[in-house]
Amino acid sequence: MPLAITDYSWTQTESMLYINVPLKGTKADKIDIVSTDDYLKIHFPPYLFEAFLFEPVDEDKSTARIGKGVAVISLPKRAEKLWDHLMIPADDKEKLKSIRERALLKYQEKLINEAKVKTLKKHAEKKYALETMMKLEEEERASIQKIRNAEREKATAELEMWKLKQKRQVKEDTQLKLHRQRQRQEKPTDQRYSSEAQSKMKEVPAPRVYGTIQVSFTPRHFPTALRESRVPEEEEWLRKQAEARHAAEADSEELKDLNEQEKNPDWLKEKGDKYFAVGNYLAAVNAYNLAIKLNRNIPAFYSNRAACHLKLRNLHKAIEDSSQALDLLTPPVPTNAAARARVHVRRGAAFCQLQLYTEGLQDYQAALELDPDNEGLQKDTQRIRAVIQGTVPELT
């Protein structure tokens, strides 16, 4: 049975009502306050203060200040006049009970509505953040594509110039050859060689003996059977990997102080892997950053850096690096299937930690298609689907 507080005080003006309730040494975080237009409750076990107000007040503008051992409740009156009493008479118990139940029900509905508004606002903010991120990614892809198109046009123009130069060279060589033939035909047939010319002709060595060298190449093998293999895509994948290994870029201003070993992207990747294994994720990120500056075409650099960002909860950066790695892991062939599955899991995990479960589920499903026998992937995908359906709490 709660103890009713009777040593409260109240004052009023024509437009405001002020109620002071002593807190009996109770901390502010243990006080429960319910306020409606005709009911006020302040509860801090074992004490309870209830007020069935004499006139209605504006509950939306009501405030409560707690400090120095007292709770001060400020209630704006709906009608500007002085009250004769603070509360209505307590004779009719049923009426008071009805007011209390109605007030508590109204207060619960208010809390539910506020929670819904907060949830809608949170989802709207998440949607805006995702749309902004996707827009930035689209702009970045467009910028990259523009650069690629410019490079392609430049290379095409250079190729055309080279072809034109070759044609001109062939034409000049042909004209020179015809000119020499005409000169030989115009010489007298009975012209004799001088003794000096004949002696030089005798000094010319005989033609070398020639032969044919047989060359054979080791056939290339893939893990899949030839009838199931996507040979053109696999050839393109191997060609891209070979080109990427020879596409190292060295910025002389930033990298001039590095030694030869530190300018090797593979050595930097191995260094980053070792840092990651011992939990030094920041050092691993630095190693992968330098490797990417040297060579921007290796998908493993971006994939491993995404794993580091995921550990450091740099979730947007983890998504960005995973997307870049997937762009480089093309065309999709069995040789790079395991790498693509890992990248999909890392990006999906980042989406889920941002509470973007629908996007995360898409990545986990993509990884599961690449590795359908992975029991861990099956369990994670099912758990994310359950979160979206609301049957289990959100992931933490």
Side-chain angles (χ1 to χ4, degrees), residues 170-183:
V170 170
K171 185 177 180 180
E172 291 176 358
D173 292 344
T174 303
Q175 292 176 349
L176 180 60
K177 185 177 180 180
L178 292 173
H179 178 68
R180 289 176 177 175
Q181 287 178 353
R182 283 195 296 268
Q183 285 182 337

Side-chain angles (χ1 to χ4, degrees), residues 77-112:
K77 297 178 181 179
R78 287 190 179 176
E80 294 189 359
K81 64 178 182 178
L82 295 177
W83 293 4
D84 297 332
H85 304 283
L86 174 63
M87 308 181 198
I88 62 175
D91 300 336
D92 191 348
K93 301 295 184 181
E94 290 299 324
K95 181 179 179 180
L96 298 181
K97 181 179 179 182
S98 175
I99 293 174
R100 180 188 298 111
E101 292 176 351
R102 185 176 66 251
L104 293 176
L105 181 61
K106 185 177 180 181
Y107 184 72
Q108 289 177 354
E109 292 177 352
K110 180 180 178 182
L111 293 179
I112 292 172

Side-chain angles (χ1 to χ4, degrees), residues 123-145:
H123 283 295
E125 291 175 350
K126 289 180 182 178
K127 183 178 179 181
Y128 175 76
L130 179 60
E131 290 176 350
T132 302
M133 182 182 66
M134 293 177 66
K135 182 179 179 181
L136 292 174
E137 290 179 353
E138 184 64 29
E139 291 176 353
E140 183 177 358
R141 282 195 291 269
S143 177
I144 294 173
Q145 187 61 40

Side-chain angles (χ1 to χ4, degrees), residues 360-371:
L361 179 61
Q362 293 176 358
D363 272 310
Y364 272 91
Q365 288 175 337
L368 196 57
E369 290 179 3
L370 296 168
D371 190 4

